[in-house]
Amino acid sequence: MKNRGLTVLLVGILLFSVAVSGCIGGETTSTPQYEGKIALVYDVGGRGDLSFNDMAYLGASKAAKDFNLELKEVQSNSESDYLPNLRSLAQKGDYDLIIAVGFMMVDAVKQVAEEFPDQKFAIVDGYIPDKPNVVSIIFKENEGSALIGALAGLIAANDGKDKVGAVLGVEIPPLYKFEGGYMFGVAWAEDYYKQKTGKDVDIKVLYTYTGAFNDPAKGKTAAQAQLGQGAWVIYQIAGATGLGVFDAVYEYLQSQGKDMGPPFAVGVDSAQDWIKPGVIIASMMKRVDVGVYKAVESVVKGTWKGGVMELGLKEDGVGVSSIDDVKEMFNSLPEDAKEQKLKELGLNSEDELFAKLEETRNQVPDWIWQAVSELEEKIKSGEIKVPMATTKDQIEAIRNAETWQEMEELAKEWESS
């Protein structure tokens, strides 16, 4: 078999890394002398989602390397694993910080944090503001998604199209922040386009909650349905489920005899552009790696404080991917994985990959990219406020608003209440 050598090599590397971390076998003279230990508990979907969980790993592994820490990784195969996984780690009393990845673990973290008040915890995307031994790492996904909405809306308007889409995972409050921000950006794009061209446009946002974060088939089906309805850009907000969105757009382009959009897909969480060059115009980067790294750093440096760590555009916690971001993400892959990916894409080198990504971006006029940058600066300065929906009532209010100014009024109203 063609990949047999690669498989043997990867298995060998895996066994070696497990042995070094002390997970198998006894003590050996080659075991590193770590300064401390941290643990990372993944949500369902786990490593390899090229998204949320992988970004958490990037932050934790970088912190482990920088601060000479042992990193323990634990996978959750279902929601029923959250509590026992967290409790098992806390009972050991060995870990300087236990990091839970995902909103779905809020209840489990609350319970275990009460049982072990001396153990420090961090939760990504969960809001637990009142426990001194828990830091909640949350993001202003609404701000980053507003930029994606502006990009999508302007691409559609410029091409004479009137629909864009969003394929989402499980319907939970963090995803309302993405959806609401996206709708705000599309509404802003309508207004910007009218001011620039004098033409009225009315762009509808199609949105589908698939109910899953680890089912690419569901993402593909949802995206195919939106493409059938005329969606010109589709934003995936569904973890590994969203990988199916990329496949759907790719196959649609192939059916039209094209290898490059539009229509386009948009990645999420990490700089996913490299997964399907020609198909993915950009990604909304949610810097889970930055949040995780900062949490570990605070423990190591003695500045730990329970409460809320919120990261937005101003703090570089969210944003639209650049080619440099994509290079960083791609180059974080093992050499064998990079070679395999290039082969799958039919490309001979990384330079070819990045050239194709540049060509993809060049399908969009410069004035659109400049408009997105303009919106970014106005959000950073506070001139424009993007609403942050965290409840069903709030997202319904955004869905029913006619203009971005109406949505901004909602943001101000919610802030003052």
Side-chain angles (χ1 to χ4, degrees):
M1 287 173 62
K2 247 165 136 183
N3 294 329
R4 182 172 178 80
L6 175 60
T7 302
V8 170
L9 175 62
L10 290 176
V11 169
I13 292 170
L14 176 62
L15 289 175
F16 175 75
S17 65
V18 171
V20 167
S21 68
C23 294
I24 60 174
E27 293 292 328
T28 69
T29 54
S30 61
T31 301
Q33 296 303 304
Y34 293 112
E35 296 293 329
K37 296 182 181 181
I38 56 174
L40 194 59
V41 181
Y42 296 116
D43 201 349
V44 291
R47 284 292 308 283
D49 65 352
L50 305 178
S51 182
F52 195 83
N53 287 289
D54 280 351
M55 289 294 280
Y57 169 76
L58 279 181
S61 60
K62 184 176 189 305
K65 182 180 178 184
D66 288 354
F67 304 120
N68 193 28
L69 306 171
E70 181 180 344
L71 171 61
K72 170 75 171 177
E73 300 172 62
V74 180
Q75 176 59 45
S76 302
N77 296 312
S78 69
E79 292 179 30
S80 61
D81 291 334
Y82 298 156
L83 193 59
N85 281 346
L86 290 164
R87 186 179 281 141
S88 173
L89 291 166
Q91 282 172 339
K92 290 183 172 67
D94 291 342
Y95 297 97
D96 300 289
L97 181 65
I98 298 171
I99 305 148
V101 185
F103 169 85
M104 305 291 281
M105 277 189 256
V106 165
D107 289 341
V109 170
K110 280 182 182 176
Q111 186 172 332
V112 179
E114 285 175 5
E115 293 172 5
F116 300 90
D118 295 329
Q119 172 66 60
K120 293 181 178 69
F121 295 89
I123 180 165
V124 178
D125 261 6
Y127 187 66
I128 307 174
D130 54 352
K131 294 199 179 300
N133 61 330
V134 180
V135 66
S136 300
I137 305 168
I138 60 176
F139 299 84
K140 294 179 181 177
E141 298 95 340
N142 53 316
E143 292 185 350
S145 295
L147 303 184
I148 296 301
L151 176 63
L154 290 171
I155 290 171
N158 190 54
D159 290 344
K161 306 297 180 180
D162 64 357
K163 294 184 185 73
V164 297
V167 172
L168 305 103
V170 179
E171 190 167 348
I172 52 176
L175 266 62
Y176 290 153
K177 292 196 282 182
F178 283 96
E179 183 198 335
Y182 186 58
M183 290 188 168
F184 178 94
V186 172
W188 182 88
E190 291 173 339
D191 191 34
Y192 187 95
Y193 189 76
K194 183 177 181 179
Q195 288 182 40
K196 180 177 176 63
T197 66
K199 297 176 186 174
D200 279 311
V201 289
D202 183 12
I203 300 169
K204 183 178 181 182
V205 179
L206 308 174
Y207 61 92
T208 307
Y209 281 90
T210 61
F213 287 116
N214 58 353
D215 192 337
K218 285 186 176 178
K220 185 175 182 179
T221 299
Q224 286 171 331
Q226 292 184 2
L227 287 165
Q229 293 174 71
W232 204 235
V233 179
I234 301 179
Y235 181 18
Q236 86 93 342
I237 314 167
T241 295
L243 298 177
V245 173
F246 304 152
D247 290 336
V249 177
Y250 173 77
E251 288 175 15
Y252 181 89
L253 289 169
Q254 291 285 299
S255 74
Q256 304 297 308
K258 299 169 68 177
D259 69 347
M260 191 161 291
F264 290 113
V266 175
V268 77
D269 294 338
S270 67
Q272 295 186 318
D273 313 31
W274 61 271
I275 297 173
K276 280 277 193 294
V279 172
I280 304 167
I281 188 61
S283 302
M284 200 294 275
M285 293 189 68
K286 177 173 170 178
R287 300 304 300 259
V288 172
D289 59 327
V290 172
V292 168
Y293 187 94
K294 284 178 179 287
V296 175
E297 183 180 41
S298 72
V299 173
V300 172
K301 295 190 173 178
T303 59
W304 165 271
K305 186 181 178 184
V308 178
M309 179 196 301
E310 188 172 33
L311 306 172
L313 283 175
K314 211 174 188 177
E315 299 79 21
D316 293 324
V318 294
V320 179
S321 60
S322 66
I323 295 295
D324 284 342
D325 291 325
V326 182
K327 287 179 179 178
E328 184 182 359
M329 186 64 191
F330 186 76
N331 288 330
S332 72
L333 300 173
E335 285 301 320
D336 288 337
K338 285 196 286 187
E339 285 177 22
Q340 184 65 27
K341 186 61 190 176
L342 290 169
K343 196 177 293 183
E344 287 170 14
L345 293 170
L347 300 173
N348 297 314
S349 68
E350 290 179 31
D351 287 343
E352 250 186 79
L353 169 62
F354 300 133
K356 188 162 185 181
L357 292 174
E358 290 280 8
E359 187 185 354
T360 305
R361 293 196 172 216
N362 288 339
Q363 304 307 303
V364 175
D366 286 344
W367 70 263
I368 291 181
W369 294 108
Q370 288 163 8
V372 173
S373 295
E374 184 182 320
L375 176 59
E376 179 176 6
E377 290 311 310
K378 287 182 177 180
I379 295 170
K380 282 181 177 179
S381 71
E383 182 181 339
I384 287 180
K385 288 194 180 300
V386 183
M388 182 185 287
T390 57
T391 68
K392 185 74 171 176
D393 287 345
Q394 288 177 340
I395 193 63
E396 286 294 349
I398 292 175
R399 290 169 184 167
N400 293 328
E402 295 291 330
T403 66
W404 70 266
Q405 289 91 344
E406 284 180 46
M407 297 179 193
E408 187 177 49
E409 285 306 310
L410 291 171
K412 292 173 182 176
E413 181 187 318
W414 296 339
E415 272 188 10
S416 62
S417 63

